[in-house]
Amino acid sequence: MELRNCASCGKMFNYVLGSAPICQECAKKMDEKFNEVKQYVYDHPGCSINDVVRDMEVTANQVRKWIREEKLSFSESSDIAIQCEGCGARILTGRYCKECKTNMINGMNGLYKKEAPKEEPKKPTHDNRMRFLDK
């Protein structure tokens, strides 16, 4: 852990590697704002990012971030059009379309060599009784 200033309010807080660079209070406020935006998008299925920004008092970058993180998704009837980072196709949420995701998964699966199935040891043809030698 390290001590950092919150990117939102400037207050000092313990930063955990990999988390957002904001304090717990600001993170809580951001979660509450996200829930409000999510409800707004649900109630207004044809809204645009500009409508959300204007009516909900959030930044367009924050809305796009939620879309890319697959936290927020718009309906097919919406004017929202983000592009797949792989092929440029129109998608409603995330970073990649279904086809690009499938191609990436198949490509990753091809990186690992599959082991040949192990053969079971052959059983001896004679019986397994103990033998004694006579002297």
Side-chain angles (χ1 to χ4, degrees):
M1 282 192 190
E2 62 181 274
L3 207 54
R4 284 195 182 180
N5 287 6
C6 176
S8 182
C9 69
K11 183 176 130 180
M12 297 287 285
F13 74 103
N14 284 327
Y15 173 75
V16 177
L17 186 63
S19 65
I22 57 176
C23 66
Q24 289 181 347
E25 292 171 18
C26 291
K28 184 178 177 181
K29 289 177 187 175
M30 188 64 71
D31 286 341
E32 290 170 0
K33 182 57 82 173
F34 168 73
N35 288 329
E36 291 172 14
V37 169
K38 184 177 176 182
Q39 186 63 44
Y40 178 87
V41 170
Y42 180 79
D43 293 341
H44 302 88
C47 68
S48 67
I49 289 180
N50 291 334
D51 295 336
V52 174
V53 168
R54 182 186 66 241
D55 296 341
M56 298 306 300
E57 298 176 359
V58 293
T59 65
N61 287 337
Q62 184 62 56
V63 174
R64 286 188 194 97
K65 181 180 176 189
W66 287 330
I67 294 169
R68 290 287 183 198
E69 291 174 348
E70 295 186 7
K71 288 183 172 184
L72 195 59
S73 179
F74 289 83
S75 68
E76 290 284 340
S77 64
S78 172
D79 292 338
I80 305 298
I82 58 173
Q83 293 182 333
C84 170
E85 291 179 11
C87 67
R90 181 182 185 272
I91 56 176
L92 299 174
T93 190
R95 295 176 58 195
Y96 300 100
C97 66
K98 288 181 183 180
E99 291 177 14
C100 287
K101 284 180 184 178
T102 302
N103 291 340
M104 282 189 272
I105 290 169
N106 290 339
M108 295 298 262
N109 287 339
L111 293 175
Y112 297 103
K113 292 182 181 179
K114 294 183 180 178
E115 294 182 23
K118 294 181 181 179
E119 294 182 21
E120 291 186 30
K122 294 182 180 179
K123 294 182 180 177
T125 54
H126 61 336
D127 59 21
N128 291 331
R129 295 181 296 169
M130 186 180 274
R131 309 255 191 257
F132 295 99
L133 295 173
D134 290 331
K135 287 190 182 181

